[in-house]
Amino acid sequence: MAARYATNPASPRGRLYAEEESAHRSPFQRDRDRIIHSSAFRRLKHKTQVFIEHEGDYFRTRLTHSIEVAQVARTVAAALDLNVELTEAIALAHDLGHTPFGHTGEEALDRLMRPYGGFDHNAQALRIVTDLERHYAEWDGLNLTWETLEGIAKHNGPVAQPWPYALAAYNARHDLELHTHAGPEAQVAALSDDIAYNNHDLHDGLRAELFSTDELAELPVLKDCFARVDAKYPGLNYYRRRHEALRRFFGVLVEDVIAVSRKNLTDLDAQNVAEVRHAGHMMIQFTPALWEDLKVIRAFLFTRMYRAPAVVEMRHVVTSMLDELFAYYIDTPTELPKQWRKEVAEAGDRQTLARIVADYIAGMTDRFAIQEHERLIGGRAVPPGVIDGN
């Protein structure tokens, strides 16, 4: 039975364009399915999580990361008696706006777009699902419910002004109440993102040999996880030992956020989802002690993984590549695909053209960006290596 403060699928706040709902799926199940079938979701297969996508089949991509986030989010939402389908839809959509090459690509595109309103991947995700996915006869975008759009736009909390232009433009048509916190399902999706990447970045860093198991076993929380594994399975194989420890680490994070969030929601005694939105702070949280421990782990990952010498070198390489692609398309917009040329012809000013180019580059996969750079500008821009992008 759903909690009083859960989002009720029987009474969603509607879609921008009215349409007949499905007889067999809830509105949020339908949102989830539209996200999974979108072009942007498929492209996540070849977008960076931390390592360049062709550097190894075992490293995470944006797609596998999104699936892992959704799995965690479903578990937490079910434990808290929230709407599982809405939580899953938001979790699956949360990274749709990411550029190629992870946060390195986002930082480069934001710098390039600064004279034209900047770039933000959360805002870009909203732009994708409300405009850039153009498959339906009666509207642009996926025509998702208000609740799913709200969760995409502000799952990390209220959006401070000035709003990114992509958020501001859509919000003028369909008020997402950007000044408030999101509903509890979106908050679960946000914390599930933290849980997923804290866990899998440790896995991937070990596989890439950027740090050792012994170093990991000295970190907060993980030290206890390794000790429990060693006590239960003395002499366990090296690979199984670290897997068992990381599995326990994952469980600690999930159990902590469920316990803390359940207490927060009980103490709030919210009678409906609106009271969660207006509580003034996030309801879905870690304990302060665990949050401090995670800061130590994130600092370790930042130094040993995200800013490892090979990673820093690749950051420079892909930043230069995106700089050159952006400049090339601005100067030669006829090289954009046919379906973009009508917009280019109607752009009218450099700002509009820059936003079209940013939309196009942001939608690229890692491999396509590399191929286009080689085709248009020449030279092998990206040798084998790793790049940043948690």
Side-chain angles (χ1 to χ4, degrees):
M1 181 176 177
R4 293 188 303 269
Y5 44 74
T7 302
N8 186 352
S11 56
R13 292 176 59 167
R15 305 176 187 272
L16 181 62
Y17 302 101
E19 58 176 297
E20 185 177 349
E21 288 294 349
S22 170
H24 309 291
R25 294 174 294 166
S26 76
F28 306 133
Q29 287 175 311
R30 205 173 187 191
D31 283 358
R32 175 202 60 199
D33 295 347
R34 288 182 178 183
I35 290 162
I36 289 172
H37 287 281
S38 68
S39 299
F41 188 75
R42 290 194 296 276
R43 288 195 298 269
L44 296 179
K45 177 183 178 183
H46 295 295
K47 288 198 175 193
T48 289
Q49 184 63 25
V50 172
F51 298 91
I52 289 180
E53 57 85 18
H54 61 266
E55 288 307 300
D57 292 339
Y58 291 98
F59 296 125
R60 267 68 173 194
T61 66
R62 288 283 170 195
L63 180 61
T64 58
H65 167 68
S66 296
I67 293 170
E68 290 181 30
V69 174
Q71 177 265 318
V72 177
R74 286 184 62 89
T75 298
V76 175
L80 297 176
D81 298 321
L82 299 174
N83 188 293
V84 174
E85 287 77 21
L86 173 58
T87 309
E88 183 181 28
I90 296 167
L92 289 170
H94 85 282
D95 266 358
L96 290 179
H98 267 293
T99 65
F101 311 123
H103 285 298
T104 299
E106 179 175 6
E107 289 165 9
L109 203 52
D110 181 45
R111 173 177 47 77
L112 291 163
M113 285 295 293
R114 208 160 289 151
Y116 312 108
F119 180 88
D120 174 85
H121 79 266
N122 276 343
Q124 189 69 11
L126 187 76
R127 183 163 169 77
I128 286 168
V129 300
T130 60
D131 183 10
L132 298 180
E133 286 284 328
R134 295 172 182 172
H135 309 295
Y136 294 91
E138 297 184 36
W139 54 74
D140 291 336
L142 304 180
N143 199 33
L144 303 178
T145 60
W146 185 94
E147 289 83 356
T148 299
L149 296 176
E150 178 212 29
I152 294 170
K154 57 181 184 177
H155 62 272
N156 289 324
V159 184
Q161 291 188 324
W163 297 327
Y165 73 85
L167 281 187
Y170 185 78
N171 200 67
R173 303 166 61 204
H174 194 191
D175 185 8
L176 297 178
E177 300 174 5
L178 297 176
H179 63 286
T180 72
H181 284 275
E185 290 84 3
Q187 295 184 34
V188 167
L191 260 289
S192 298
D193 185 24
D194 289 349
I195 291 170
Y197 72 65
N198 273 296
N199 183 63
H200 65 49
D201 284 2
L202 295 172
H203 273 279
D204 284 353
L206 286 170
R207 179 171 289 277
E209 299 182 348
L210 295 176
F211 44 80
S212 70
T213 302
D214 289 343
E215 289 176 295
L216 217 59
E218 292 302 313
L219 292 173
V221 186
L222 286 153
K223 187 173 185 177
D224 180 63
C225 293
F226 275 98
R228 284 189 284 141
V229 171
D230 292 341
K232 187 171 183 178
Y233 305 108
L236 187 64
N237 169 278
Y238 172 82
Y239 292 102
R240 293 178 189 268
R241 176 176 179 256
R242 74 187 193 187
H243 177 81
E244 286 290 336
L246 288 171
R247 188 165 71 91
R248 283 160 175 75
F249 173 68
F250 186 81
V252 168
L253 303 189
V254 172
E255 292 297 330
D256 184 89
V257 76
I258 289 172
V260 174
S261 303
R262 182 179 285 133
K263 182 179 186 306
N264 287 346
L265 290 165
T266 299
D267 290 348
L268 181 66
D269 193 27
Q271 300 304 300
N272 52 56
V273 66
E275 293 184 17
V276 174
R277 287 193 179 94
H278 291 89
H281 58 90
M282 298 284 276
M283 290 286 103
I284 311 302
Q285 298 175 319
F286 294 113
T287 57
L290 182 58
W291 183 240
E292 290 304 312
D293 287 340
L294 288 176
K295 287 181 182 178
V296 175
I297 294 170
R298 294 301 291 169
F300 173 84
L301 284 170
F302 185 88
T303 302
R304 299 300 302 278
M305 188 172 182
Y306 310 141
R307 293 298 182 269
V311 172
V312 172
E313 180 183 352
M314 293 308 303
R315 282 172 57 84
H316 294 317
V317 171
V318 299
T319 296
S320 176
M321 182 175 65
L322 292 182
D323 286 353
E324 291 172 351
L325 279 173
F326 187 86
Y328 186 92
Y329 287 124
I330 287 284
D331 293 339
T332 321
T334 53
E335 285 292 341
L336 291 169
K338 289 181 180 178
Q339 62 265 37
W340 294 78
R341 291 178 194 169
K342 182 176 183 293
E343 289 188 54
V344 169
E346 297 173 352
D349 56 48
R350 192 172 178 84
Q351 176 170 291
T352 305
L353 176 60
R355 290 178 178 179
I356 293 168
V357 170
D359 286 339
Y360 182 59
I361 291 177
M364 290 180 172
T365 63
D366 292 11
R367 68 167 57 168
F368 184 68
I370 293 167
Q371 290 168 354
E372 283 296 275
H373 185 273
E374 291 176 4
R375 181 179 72 87
L376 298 171
I377 298 167
R380 173 71 182 178
V382 181
V386 295
I387 60 171
D388 168 53
N390 64 0

